[in-house]
Coordinates of all heavy atoms in Angstrom, one line a residue:
L161 N 1.8 6.5 -1.0 CA 1.7 5.9 0.3 C 2.1 4.5 0.5 O 1.7 3.8 1.4 CB 0.3 6.1 0.9 CG -0.2 7.6 1.0 CD1 -1.6 7.6 1.5 CD2 0.7 8.3 2.0
R162 N 3.0 4.0 -0.4 CA 3.6 2.7 -0.3 C 4.9 2.8 0.4 O 5.6 3.8 0.3 CB 3.8 2.0 -1.7 CG 2.5 1.6 -2.3 CD 2.8 0.9 -3.7 NE 3.4 1.9 -4.6 CZ 3.9 1.6 -5.8 NH1 4.0 0.3 -6.1 NH2 4.4 2.5 -6.6
T163 N 5.3 1.8 1.1 CA 6.6 1.7 1.7 C 7.6 1.5 0.6 O 7.3 1.0 -0.5 CB 6.7 0.6 2.8 OG1 6.6 -0.6 2.2 CG2 5.7 0.8 3.9
L164 N 8.9 1.7 0.9 CA 9.9 1.5 0.0 C 9.9 0.0 -0.4 O 10.1 -0.4 -1.6 CB 11.3 1.9 0.5 CG 12.5 1.7 -0.4 CD1 12.3 2.4 -1.7 CD2 13.8 2.2 0.3
D165 N 9.8 -0.9 0.6 CA 9.7 -2.3 0.3 C 8.5 -2.7 -0.6 O 8.7 -3.5 -1.5 CB 9.6 -3.1 1.6 CG 10.9 -3.1 2.4 OD1 12.0 -2.8 1.8 OD2 10.8 -3.4 3.6
E166 N 7.4 -2.1 -0.4 CA 6.2 -2.3 -1.2 C 6.4 -1.9 -2.7 O 6.0 -2.5 -3.6 CB 5.0 -1.7 -0.6 CG 4.5 -2.3 0.6 CD 3.5 -1.5 1.4 OE1 3.3 -0.3 1.1 OE2 2.9 -2.0 2.3
I167 N 7.1 -0.7 -2.8 CA 7.4 -0.2 -4.2 C 8.3 -1.2 -4.9 O 8.1 -1.5 -6.1 CB 8.0 1.2 -4.1 CG1 7.0 2.2 -3.5 CG2 8.6 1.6 -5.4 CD1 7.6 3.5 -3.1
M168 N 9.3 -1.6 -4.2 CA 10.3 -2.5 -4.8 C 9.7 -3.9 -5.1 O 10.1 -4.5 -6.1 CB 11.5 -2.7 -3.9 CG 12.3 -1.4 -3.8 SD 13.7 -1.3 -2.7 CE 14.2 -3.0 -2.5
A169 N 8.8 -4.3 -4.3 CA 8.1 -5.7 -4.5 C 7.1 -5.7 -5.6 O 6.7 -6.7 -6.1 CB 7.6 -6.2 -3.2
W170 N 6.5 -4.5 -5.9 CA 5.3 -4.4 -6.8 C 5.5 -5.2 -8.1 O 4.6 -5.9 -8.5 CB 4.9 -3.0 -7.0 CG 3.7 -2.9 -7.8 CD1 3.5 -2.7 -9.1 CD2 2.3 -2.9 -7.2 NE1 2.2 -2.7 -9.5 CE2 1.4 -2.7 -8.3 CE3 1.8 -3.0 -5.9 CZ2 0.1 -2.7 -8.1 CZ3 0.5 -2.9 -5.8 CH2 -0.4 -2.8 -6.8
G171 N 6.6 -5.0 -8.8 CA 6.7 -5.6 -10.1 C 6.7 -7.1 -10.1 O 6.2 -7.7 -11.1
E172 N 7.1 -7.8 -9.0 CA 7.2 -9.2 -9.0 C 6.0 -9.8 -8.1 O 5.9 -11.0 -8.0 CB 8.5 -9.7 -8.3 CG 9.7 -9.3 -9.1 CD 9.8 -9.9 -10.5 OE1 9.4 -11.1 -10.6 OE2 10.1 -9.2 -11.5
A173 N 5.2 -8.9 -7.5 CA 4.1 -9.3 -6.6 C 3.0 -10.0 -7.4 O 2.6 -9.6 -8.5 CB 3.6 -8.2 -5.8
S174 N 2.4 -11.0 -6.7 CA 1.2 -11.7 -7.2 C 0.0 -10.7 -7.0 O 0.1 -9.7 -6.3 CB 0.9 -13.0 -6.5 OG 0.6 -12.7 -5.1
D175 N -1.1 -11.1 -7.6 CA -2.3 -10.2 -7.5 C -2.7 -10.2 -6.0 O -3.1 -9.1 -5.5 CB -3.5 -10.8 -8.3 CG -3.3 -10.4 -9.8 OD1 -2.4 -9.6 -10.1 OD2 -4.1 -11.0 -10.6
E176 N -2.6 -11.3 -5.3 CA -2.9 -11.3 -3.9 C -2.0 -10.4 -3.1 O -2.5 -9.7 -2.2 CB -2.8 -12.8 -3.4 CG -3.2 -12.9 -1.9 CD -3.1 -14.4 -1.5 OE1 -3.6 -15.3 -2.2 OE2 -2.6 -14.6 -0.4
E177 N -0.7 -10.4 -3.4 CA 0.2 -9.5 -2.7 C -0.1 -8.1 -3.0 O 0.0 -7.2 -2.1 CB 1.7 -9.9 -3.1 CG 2.1 -11.2 -2.5 CD 3.4 -11.7 -3.1 OE1 3.6 -11.5 -4.3 OE2 4.2 -12.4 -2.4
R178 N -0.4 -7.8 -4.3 CA -0.7 -6.4 -4.6 C -2.0 -5.9 -3.9 O -2.0 -4.8 -3.5 CB -0.9 -6.4 -6.2 CG 0.4 -6.5 -6.9 CD 0.2 -6.4 -8.4 NE 1.5 -6.5 -9.1 CZ 1.7 -6.2 -10.3 NH1 0.7 -6.0 -11.1 NH2 2.9 -6.3 -10.9
L179 N -3.0 -6.8 -3.8 CA -4.2 -6.4 -3.0 C -3.8 -6.1 -1.6 O -4.4 -5.1 -1.0 CB -5.2 -7.6 -3.1 CG -6.0 -7.7 -4.4 CD1 -6.9 -8.9 -4.4 CD2 -6.8 -6.4 -4.7
R180 N -2.9 -6.9 -1.0 CA -2.5 -6.6 0.4 C -1.8 -5.2 0.5 O -2.0 -4.4 1.4 CB -1.6 -7.7 0.9 CG -2.4 -8.8 1.5 CD -1.4 -9.8 2.2 NE -0.7 -10.4 1.1 CZ -0.3 -11.7 1.0 NH1 -0.6 -12.4 2.0 NH2 0.3 -12.1 0.0
I181 N -1.0 -4.9 -0.5 CA -0.3 -3.6 -0.6 C -1.4 -2.5 -0.7 O -1.3 -1.5 0.0 CB 0.7 -3.6 -1.7 CG1 1.9 -4.5 -1.4 CG2 1.2 -2.1 -2.0 CD1 2.8 -4.7 -2.6
L182 N -2.3 -2.7 -1.6 CA -3.4 -1.7 -1.8 C -4.2 -1.5 -0.5 O -4.6 -0.3 -0.2 CB -4.2 -2.0 -3.0 CG -3.5 -2.0 -4.4 CD1 -4.5 -2.5 -5.5 CD2 -3.0 -0.6 -4.7
E183 N -4.4 -2.5 0.2 CA -5.2 -2.4 1.5 C -4.4 -1.6 2.5 O -4.9 -0.8 3.2 CB -5.5 -3.8 2.0 CG -6.6 -4.5 1.2 CD -6.8 -6.0 1.5 OE1 -6.0 -6.5 2.3 OE2 -7.7 -6.6 1.0
A184 N -3.1 -1.9 2.5 CA -2.2 -1.1 3.4 C -2.2 0.4 3.1 O -2.2 1.2 3.9 CB -0.8 -1.7 3.4
V185 N -2.1 0.6 1.7 CA -2.2 2.0 1.3 C -3.5 2.7 1.7 O -3.5 3.8 2.2 CB -2.0 2.1 -0.3 CG1 -2.4 3.4 -0.8 CG2 -0.6 1.7 -0.7
A186 N -4.6 2.0 1.6 CA -5.9 2.5 1.9 C -5.9 2.9 3.4 O -6.4 3.9 3.8 CB -7.0 1.6 1.6
R187 N -5.3 2.0 4.3 CA -5.3 2.3 5.7 C -4.4 3.5 6.0 O -4.8 4.4 6.8 CB -4.7 1.1 6.5 CG -5.7 -0.1 6.6 CD -5.2 -1.1 7.5 NE -4.0 -1.7 7.2 CZ -3.8 -2.7 6.4 NH1 -4.8 -3.3 5.8 NH2 -2.6 -3.2 6.1
R188 N -3.3 3.6 5.3 CA -2.4 4.8 5.5 C -3.1 6.1 5.0 O -3.0 7.1 5.7 CB -1.1 4.6 4.7 CG -0.2 3.6 5.3 CD 1.1 3.5 4.5 NE 1.7 2.2 4.9 CZ 1.9 1.2 4.0 NH1 1.6 1.4 2.7 NH2 2.4 0.1 4.4
R189 N -3.8 6.0 3.9 CA -4.5 7.2 3.4 C -5.6 7.6 4.4 O -5.8 8.8 4.7 CB -5.2 6.9 2.1 CG -5.9 8.1 1.5 CD -6.3 7.9 0.0 NE -5.1 7.9 -0.8 CZ -4.6 6.9 -1.5 NH1 -5.2 5.7 -1.5 NH2 -3.5 7.0 -2.2
Q190 N -6.3 6.6 5.0 CA -7.4 6.9 5.9 C -6.8 7.6 7.2 O -7.3 8.5 7.7 CB -8.1 5.6 6.3 CG -9.4 5.8 7.1 CD -10.1 4.6 7.2 OE1 -9.6 3.5 7.3 NE2 -11.4 4.6 7.2
A191 N -5.6 7.0 7.7 CA -5.0 7.6 8.8 C -4.5 9.0 8.6 O -4.6 9.9 9.4 CB -3.8 6.7 9.3
R192 N -3.9 9.2 7.4 CA -3.4 10.6 7.0 C -4.6 11.5 6.9 O -4.5 12.7 7.5 CB -2.7 10.5 5.7 CG -2.1 11.9 5.3 CD -1.4 11.9 4.0 NE -2.4 11.6 2.9 CZ -2.1 11.5 1.6 NH1 -0.8 11.6 1.2 NH2 -3.0 11.3 0.7
N193 N -5.7 11.1 6.4 CA -6.8 12.0 6.2 C -7.4 12.3 7.6 O -7.9 13.5 7.9 CB -7.9 11.4 5.4 CG -7.5 11.3 3.9 OD1 -6.6 12.0 3.5 ND2 -8.2 10.5 3.1
A194 N -7.4 11.4 8.5 CA -7.9 11.6 9.9 C -7.0 12.6 10.6 O -7.5 13.5 11.4 CB -8.0 10.3 10.7
R195 N -5.7 12.5 10.4 CA -4.8 13.5 11.0 C -4.9 14.9 10.5 O -4.8 15.9 11.2 CB -3.3 13.0 10.8 CG -2.9 11.9 11.7 CD -1.4 11.7 11.6 NE -0.9 11.6 10.2 CZ -0.7 10.4 9.6 NH1 -1.1 9.3 10.1 NH2 -0.2 10.4 8.4
N196 N -5.2 15.0 9.2 CA -5.3 16.3 8.5 C -6.7 16.8 8.5 O -6.9 18.0 8.1 CB -4.8 16.2 7.1 CG -3.3 15.8 7.0 OD1 -2.6 16.1 7.9 ND2 -2.9 15.2 5.9
G197 N -7.6 16.0 9.0 CA -9.1 16.3 9.1 C -9.6 17.5 8.6 O -10.4 18.2 8.5

């Protein structure tokens, strides 16, 4: 559930940036689960 940009950035991302990516992933997962309920 990462965007292509997030996947490409992961290797060079700081811990803070990685945490933001993981938070975005959690939001996407929650939205997907709500849709698939």
Side-chain angles (χ1 to χ4, degrees):
L161 298 178
R162 290 181 293 170
T163 65
L164 182 57
D165 288 340
E166 291 167 344
I167 293 167
M168 291 174 26
W170 185 266
E172 300 294 321
S174 67
D175 284 347
E176 184 176 315
E177 291 166 326
R178 288 179 177 190
L179 283 174
R180 276 187 289 220
I181 291 170
L182 293 175
E183 289 168 355
V185 166
R187 287 191 301 273
R188 289 182 198 115
R189 182 171 287 113
Q190 191 172 36
R192 181 180 68 181
N193 289 345
R195 283 192 308 269
N196 296 334

